[in-house]
Amino acid sequence: MFLKINNLEKFYKKDRPLIKSLDFNVNKGEIVSFIGESGSGKTTFLRCLAGLDEINDGSIELNGKILNDSKTFVESHERKIGFVFQDYPLFPHLNVIDNITFNLNSKLNGKLDNVLGLTGLKDLTRSFPHELSGGEQQRVSIARAIIRDPDLLLLDEPFSNLDSNIKLQIKNEIYSIIKNAGITTILVTHDVKESFAIADKILIFKAGVLQQYDEPFNIYCKPSNCYCAKVLGELNLLVINGKKYYLRPENINIVNSSEYKGIVEKSSFVGKEFQISANFFDEKWTLFSNNSFKEGCELSVSFKDEDLIKFDSNCENYFTQPIDRK
Amino acid sequence: MFLKINNLEKFYKKDRPLIKSLDFNVNKGEIVSFIGESGSGKTTFLRCLAGLDEINDGSIELNGKILNDSKTFVESHERKIGFVFQDYPLFPHLNVIDNITFNLNSKLNGKLDNVLGLTGLKDLTRSFPHELSGGEQQRVSIARAIIRDPDLLLLDEPFSNLDSNIKLQIKNEIYSIIKNAGITTILVTHDVKESFAIADKILIFKAGVLQQYDEPFNIYCKPSNCYCAKVLGELNLLVINGKKYYLRPENINIVNSSEYKGIVEKSSFVGKEFQISANFFDEKWTLFSNNSFKEGCELSVSFKDEDLIKFDSNCENYFTQPIDRK
Amino acid sequence: QNIQKTNEINIYSQRHYAVDELQYENFTKMTGIQVNVTKANADELLQRMKIEGSSSPADLFITVDVGKLWQAGDMGLLQKIKDETITAGINSEFLDPNNYWIPLTYRSRIVVYSKERVDVNDLSTYEDLANEKWKNRLLIRSSSNSYNQALMSSLIANIGSDVAEDWSTKIVSNLAREPKGNDRDQVKAIASGQGDIAVVNSYYIGLLLSSEKEEELKAGNSVGVFFPNQAENQRGAHINVSGIALTKNAPNKDNAIKLISFLTSESAQQTYVDNTYEYSVNSNIEPNEIVKNWGDFKKDKLDLNMLGVKRNEAIRIFDKTGWK
Amino acid sequence: MEVKLFKIKKPNYGLLTVVFLSTLIIFPIISLIFGSIGVDISNFLYLSEYLLLDYTISTIYLLSLTLVFSFLFGVIPAWLISTSRFKGRRIYDLLLYLPLAIPTYIMAFSYGDILSFSGPFQSFVREFIPSLTKVVNQDYLQIEILAVLLSFSLYPYLYAACRISFSLIGNNYINLSKNLGLNEINTFLRVGIPLSRPAIFSSIFLISMEVLNEYGAVSYFGVNTYTSGIFRAWGSMADMDTASLLAIVLFLVVCLFFSLEKWLTSKFKYSFKSNTDLSTYYKNSNKKLIYTHISCITIILAAFIIPILYMTNNIFIDFKNIDFFDVYVLSKNTVFVSLASSILIVLVVLLIQYLKRISKSKILNFTGETISLTYALPGAVIGISLILLFSPINDYFGFLLIGSVPVLIYAYFIRYMAVGVSPIVSSFKKHPKKLDDSGKSLGLKPFQFFRKIFFPLNKNAIIIAFCICFVDIMKDLPLTLILRPFNFDTLATQTYEYAIEEMITKSSIYSITIVTFGVILLSILSVNQSKK
Ligand SMILES: Nc1ncnc2c1ncn2[C@@H]1O[C@H](COP(=O)(O)OP(=O)(O)OP(=O)(O)O)[C@@H](O)[C@H]1O
Ligand SMILES: Nc1ncnc2c1ncn2[C@@H]1O[C@H](COP(=O)(O)OP(=O)(O)OP(=O)(O)O)[C@@H](O)[C@H]1O
Ligand SMILES: [Mg+2]
Ligand SMILES: [Mg+2]
């Protein structure tokens, strides 16, 4: 176990714990994607890992060394943790190169070139932060973190301002850097696609509680509760004999006629196919089709019974208290 | 024509024009999505529209009134343009409510509640910016822009820090607000999905030049050049008899055997299906499949000839000079 | 170390004129004794001496207001000086009956008047300034000024506190403007016509009349000097002395005495009058030319210690009667 | 939850240092407060009955007027110069700091003389425009004019702090405000000023304390302020205890305001947003340019050039009597003590602010603020309390601490701490905490932190703090008077001694030397600044 989080608790106001009791481990070299709603405490958690905030209870252990518990607090600068901040603050008095190599004194010419190339900053080395576009600033911030081979890399929405092209490129490069160097990484992102693409494990976090922590495929196929299932993709609710079942949009086929009928509400082109919102049994469903349908059209669909997803009662929503996973 | 951009030119350094000659019109109530690479000048363009920068040549006309040309410059505070900035600055000394209602004095209780509800900020009205998460700050910034019914709404990556749930909700709400009020909107985003979902028109911008400006469906189906085609989705290159053809991943079917064979390089689960990178004729192709394939597997594919996309020679890349579209 | 000690004197002084330095230089030249001076406000110096107590380095205490000398004695900070050689040359009317301090120079608080608008015959005494006829014509500075406090103390001692209080009330109602500015400004105010008579210290007129600035000279020349209470059976003009005293624990007492006798010597007294417009306490020394022109005058014979004794009462009268 | 009794961190040297330093700084106050327990309060009651109400009213009136004028002279030019670029901007920027080098009482005496019957103004009118003689022949010693004169020499505090603060607002907020429909004036009022609240508050505090502690100019103008009460108790009634009691009451009132402000703004932040452009914001219309030039020139002329011309003229008049060797010796003394103390102050302020910034300790935060409060006590009272503090040592060891240069420097250090704090805090509060976080996560150790982030980011403010401290200490009177070694004069004491004896002419060479040092210092540093 490389990174061990034990019963971590964190609050800003005592009566409103933000992180109730977080408990998970990450192996060396793994990339964990941390998924949670806006304001759920993701950044706060990363700050605790980086030593910018103290935890209120529990412990954080990295590489066998306690970083923070009720007795110990290792200062941030002694932790060797790379952090790409959500709002990518850069030092205003330093240009791109100096920001990236800030506090590094060893010769790193080759490496620097490499990092500059991968983040597409070669032409901007002498620019100051305020002369950069949002995405460029973000890339400097990424470059600054990965150039120093941290023990643990924390990425807080690192790609939010990058266009798909450069994002893809950087993502792939970071992936290979991380994997080659075996840097344990925690990636906070809102884009589930991204998580799927590079994460070894996904951690779903909601209401201060870890909801599920597993490999992407497992989460997608065996979500521990309805919330987790929804996070990874849209879910259509179907009530059969008073029992609730869920269906993924891609498992629904549009057929000429069937017992399942609905009314089209909106159909919009999403590239490569149309996304259709329709009303089935008073529930709003989403499905995909290669054709567009007019608003008001009737639509018949079919699906396989094995694609129906069912949750037992305590998983119909999300967990509000930490569950014992041991 | 509500918003008219004529031959707009803008540079920071004279020898490196950022926007070479931009020329397009937007009708009242339309939502235009502005797509361009990181650092291509999108924010700069919005700043010019908002009157925070002066253009170097050409003109901007809103609602029949010249805002900026070689003789006129209407000051920013006289323009009534809503701007959600990319880095969502909030006044640090004002709480959420005061930030949102800054410089509004009319009674707007109902509206305020409405906006707060839609952005999910009801519990945070008394918080100060430094106590907000990244996504919350962004939502305040959105709320602040839409509460004041601008003539023109500029959204610069407004959803970059929002989780899919709240993003969807806000997007839909903004969409209906914009459509109801007939607010002309320019949306800068990196997420092509988003553009498809809410934009009436998409403007693709590259190398200082407008590449294509059309409805989403048209762009997807009739991209004016290779670059535009690529922006909207991945494209696989196929060379037949020395001629270049392109294929969309979704138009490729995996079959048991065919004359088109490739080697799988990586296959990753992206939710609902697997994305497969494979090597076909020394080109890197992307395709989708419901099953995972091992690295090194051989893969046979087929496609319909009508799905092959072909560009004439000057569209094989992107336009580097403004083209005359009249 | 002993030798070093005998070779210096430490002075806490409220006086800060160039002439003082000249005197000390002359003294050092004469005796080889080093003179160390700390110049500050009298009250702060008193406080400092009090706190320092027996470890105070000060040998001598010099002020420009005899009230503070009295106060120092009252606080037990001084020791008596009984040295005939010193007092011999000094006009006995300036001497401290208790021998706590030795006067160095003196000055009078006099009345000046507009030569244009005031008939000098209308002027008579300090008491007369309370007369109705000076309504809105009288100029004087604020009551926080120690010269005014000394003047009031002398009045209390001479005419009793009730009469003095009544006087003060009337003075306030006669004022041409709120008390403000320094003594020179009172003269300038007469020149500019804001008032007709003013109460000022004598040497400021000397300063004005010797000014290098033409306009100041004009202002100085526009007023006449009048010494009040000069008539027969009147007590004479109010005076105040600048004096020196030996501290209780003076570490260099012998040197200190030497300095005192030097400063009271005729040559040093001559140096004073040559450089300032004060009067010498030695009757043999004639004042500066400008000052001499005003003529001789009768001085109030009041025990100068009264200027300190009555100080507190004076202030309360000021406050009560609204003299700002 | 378990109770955390022991948190094994490294011993918090930072905290210890700060507590030690601030104890050093507020010790005299504490001793004063304890010393005043159980003193005879009859004089105090007497004063409060007869005078305090009166004194308080005129204090408040004078203070309000002075603050209004200082605001006009300080804040508006600071905004204009920070947010626009025009020819002459740099020279205005330099000149606008300089009136600080003119002591308030010199400003008052000079203008008193300039405007008086025999002054150049009235003489000129009498000579050349006799018809106006009646109009200009006024009593100029009015409280309103005093307020203007005080603000002439005090506005630079506001100017300096606002200049720092305004230039660190960041394009980002300015753009936001433009976009939300505010024109420049409204941006100034609704964004510039609120975002500079710490700067404005701390300099208003400095100015208020200067006004409250001002005695020379105030009594010359016949205005009785609270301080007059203190000196009346002390000087005239020979009652030091009452004087300290009054000083303590004032001190407590100030503390109250201070805490109130801290409490009110505890949640506010004033930093700019990171990655923002900090330079140029507003275009200059011709109208605005004219206005800018007129306002800057008027202020510089009235607050600096005229008094300087007056002094220079005096010097020529009195040229033959000037003892240049004396001027040289005094300059040496003055520069030495000012330099030593201002370096010390800037270092300590930096240390404390820096530790405050990197630590989350509440105690540190608290002490960091309190050290400015010593400024609320009149210098003379601090002087006496130091004598009180050191005389036992004198007794005990048998050597003299009081009246030695180290104690004098210590006294300056205590008293002028607030002057150094103001610009540095204004600047520190402007820099986003995010930068600290980045630095920490990039592995900066505390000292490196200072060298690599705080120093470069706050360099301007540090330079300005140093200059202002230096100039202020050069002007110091009450502390120097009472605590200086034997035979030790400074330019300020000499200026004062002549001025108080109504020999302004003679004092001019000394005051102009003070100003000259101020000019030299500011020029060197501003040249240094512009290299950047
Ligand atoms: N200093 C603070 N004081 C009080 N509350 C705070 C503070 N910082 C953050 N919060 C609150 O804690 C919650 C979690 O914040 P955090 O930044 O960790 O969210 P997040 O998961 O990163 O969200 P996002 O995806 O929007 O960035 C938010 O609701 C925020 O309002
Ligand atoms: N003040 C400036 N001075 C010089 N160059 C600048 C300045 N501001 C921006 N630039 C440059 O202009 C280019 C365009 O910047 P802009 O912010 O418009 O990009 P953008 O399209 O918004 O990119 P992103 O998607 O990354 O936000 C960038 O390469 C940037 O480096
Ligand atoms: Mg966050
Ligand atoms: Mg941008």
Side-chain angles (χ1 to χ4, degrees), chain A residues 11-13 16 18-19 34-47 53 86 156-157 188-190 205, chain B residues 88 123-124 127-139 161-163 166, chain D residues 267 269:
Chain A
F11 49 77
Y12 287 110
K13 287 183 205 89
R16 281 217 269 147
L18 201 57
I19 302 177
F34 200 100
I35 296 184
E37 289 173 356
S38 171
S40 61
K42 304 181 296 295
T43 302
T44 308
F45 173 61
L46 296 191
R47 288 175 57 85
D53 256 336
Q86 190 168 13
D156 198 354
E157 299 280 353
V188 165
T189 175
H190 289 123
F205 183 77
Chain B
Y88 39 92
D123 294 340
L124 297 167
S127 300
F128 284 86
H130 68 274
E131 298 167 337
L132 298 179
S133 79
E136 285 159 356
Q137 291 175 25
Q138 196 160 36
R139 284 179 269 156
N161 282 283
L162 303 185
D163 61 288
I166 191 133
Chain D
K267 278 206 144 184
K269 290 274 186 290

Side-chain angles (χ1 to χ4, degrees), chain A residues 68-120:
Chain A
N68 193 354
D69 65 7
S70 55
K71 291 195 280 302
T72 325
F73 180 75
V74 177
E75 289 289 341
S76 186
H77 61 86
E78 286 159 2
R79 292 194 185 188
K80 205 161 185 297
I81 290 180
F83 198 156
V84 176
F85 292 86
Q86 190 168 13
D87 52 356
Y88 38 89
L90 304 176
F91 297 113
H93 59 300
L94 301 178
N95 63 22
V96 167
I97 285 276
D98 294 341
N99 257 293
I100 294 178
T101 58
F102 186 80
N103 200 28
L104 286 181
N105 32 25
S106 52
K107 285 274 159 286
L108 32 70
N109 282 335
K111 207 164 164 193
L112 182 61
D113 270 2
N114 200 356
V115 168
L116 285 175
L118 111 86
T119 46

